[in-house]
Amino acid sequence: MNAIDAVGVALPRLRISADEVADVWGRYSGAGIESKTVPTVDEDALTLAVAAAESALSRSSLDPDDVSTVCLATTTPPLDAEEIAPRLVRALGLPTSTSIRTFTQSTLAGAQALDSGFDAEGPALVVAADLPRGDPASADHPFGAGAAAFLLAESGSVERLGSTSHVDELAGISYRERGSDELTGLDITSYERRAIRESVTSAVEGLGADPDAADRLDVDITDVDGAAVFQPDARMPSRATGDLSIPRETLARGTVVDRIGDAGAAGVPLGLAAALDAAEDDDRTLAVFFGSGGGATAMLFEGRVDSGFDAELDGGISVTYPEYLRERGYIGTVDVAGGGAHVSLPAWQRSLDQRYRLAAGRCPECEALTFPPEGACRNCHRRIEFERVELPRTGTVRAATSIGHGGAPPEFAEQQRRDGAYDVAIVELEHKGESVTIPVQLTDANAGTVELDDEVRAVVRRLYEQEGVPRYGVKFAPVDDRR
Ligand SMILES: [Zn+2]
């Protein structure tokens, strides 16, 4: 039986306060949300998922090659026609034989992914990553972003004592219209609030009656130390559990929406990550998910695990509302004159191992590294068969320059319009005494702030869209300034 072995979270570094949004609109429809995370133009559900998963893997002694199942939950997949989980597997360098499951239907996706991971044979990686968006005048107000990743294995320290679902058809409760990337139904009526409360009560009470869990649950199911409950806003957890009398401080341990905004299908998983981090070794933590159509799922956990949630939340950078609108792409469109540096899809596909994993070639004759691993050895110029090596994901800036307005290649014009000037750098990466320098784009740093000899680390980000397909690759972010 799988248990939680490690947890990692990823939050965008930009933040906007509720006051900033309220100043513009004269009101703010996100009860109890004080601040929220703002995904930048190069962040989406895939890049957040990669970052959270990397964090979880780094906190575990489990060999990534042993991960046999990846379950991904999001209501905002960046690709309409294509699964994003294979890209996640590739970006993490997991075995290509990894079994993949994707859940996208509603905010219950996080629960479905966790259920699937716990049921899997062998170690599983479960990632919930979401960044809902809606009409900036209303629905958008509470929307934040983030990702939580759970590495599950038999050796895990946090046991899941039970999981039950309650499904009832509740007319009119829809979180997301099919085929639309705008969310609806968040203007929650009293009818909806009652329906949510009844579903949640039923799911949690069902947990007490779960035959698998019953003999281990010697206490009242609501007598828990922490709880992460469906949180489209900060009032919902206490409203949804109104029939269960869970104390306010217990709910507070698993409520993160007040600081990060509504993270959709990642909301409860992020709350669970925060609650498990704050728990004592034998504490019990409840997680309660709710989604479209009246479904609720309750899970009970025992134990604690570090997730680094507080550290990840610390040290964000505030943006103004106009900056927010630009980052989110709510204002303006861009027309790029002329053609960009066109890389055909097949050529791009062949280079993914370099772009995600920094795969370089080592020369068997002279040991020198060549990146990208094409053509002859960069050092001895011999035409040899390169040995594949993955470069380290941290390196040192050897040169940097800012690309100002108008200076970006056409494929990066949209990014520049939304995010402003950016830096490019030559970064030196060392591997076993050999080093190689590569040109990279920097991110998570204001243009001009990165200096020579700064340490930077690789992050997988969205680069641009070509032929309707978003393309991803490695950029580098400062090691020190961040978080
Ligand atoms: Zn050589």
Side-chain angles (χ1 to χ4, degrees), residues 166 168 170-171 173 188-202 230 236 239-243 290 294 296:
H166 167 85
D168 196 1
L170 295 166
I173 299 190
I188 294 170
T189 63
S190 61
Y191 161 75
E192 287 172 317
R193 275 201 294 271
R194 192 179 71 243
I196 292 168
R197 195 181 69 234
E198 286 170 1
S199 294
V200 164
T201 303
S202 173
F230 176 57
M236 182 56 77
R239 280 180 165 156
T241 55
D243 299 336
F290 180 85

Side-chain angles (χ1 to χ4, degrees), residues 241-417:
T241 55
D243 299 336
L244 299 165
S245 15
I246 296 174
R248 204 163 275 274
E249 50 285 10
T250 303
L251 291 171
R253 207 185 254 188
T255 300
V256 298
V257 63
D258 52 331
R259 289 156 290 161
I260 68 170
D262 177 4
V268 174
L270 280 161
L272 178 60
L276 291 176
D277 190 274
E280 305 283 339
D281 283 339
D282 54 357
D283 275 2
R284 286 182 170 182
T285 301
L286 184 67
V288 186
F289 304 78
F290 180 85
S292 302
T297 296
M299 298 181 191
L300 186 64
F301 299 90
E302 187 172 82
R304 79 165 306 281
V305 64
D306 285 325
S307 67
F309 181 86
D310 289 340
E312 183 72 4
L313 189 62
D314 275 355
I317 292 178
S318 295
V319 294
T320 64
Y321 193 72
E323 288 166 338
Y324 170 79
L325 288 182
R326 271 200 299 277
E327 289 286 356
R328 294 292 268 142
Y330 284 129
I331 47 175
T333 55
V334 67
D335 285 320
V336 176
H342 185 268
V343 181
S344 75
L345 273 174
W348 185 269
Q349 196 68 23
R350 281 195 298 276
S351 69
L352 288 178
D353 204 28
Q354 300 150 32
R355 296 179 187 277
Y356 293 165
R357 301 303 307 167
L358 294 171
R362 179 195 292 279
C363 173
E365 301 291 331
C366 76
E367 307 239 301
L369 296 172
T370 298
F371 184 90
E374 290 159 6
C377 169
R378 185 177 53 88
N379 183 49
C380 69
H381 307 294
R382 270 180 273 214
R383 288 261 165 196
I384 38 76
E385 190 76 23
F386 286 117
E387 174 198 340
R388 179 187 185 280
V389 293
E390 283 189 12
L391 296 171
R393 298 183 82 76
T394 55
T396 310
V397 173
R398 295 301 178 212
T401 188
S402 296
I403 306 294
H405 280 288
E411 64 270 29
F412 286 110
E414 166 74 3
Q415 166 186 310
Q416 189 166 75
R417 187 182 61 74

Side-chain angles (χ1 to χ4, degrees), residues 29-31 33 142-143 175 186 188 196 229-237 257 261-264:
S29 55
I33 298 174
F143 290 149
Y175 189 72
L186 286 165
I188 294 170
I196 292 168
V229 178
F230 176 57
Q231 41 197 282
D233 63 38
R235 262 186 228 148
M236 182 56 77
V257 63
D262 177 4

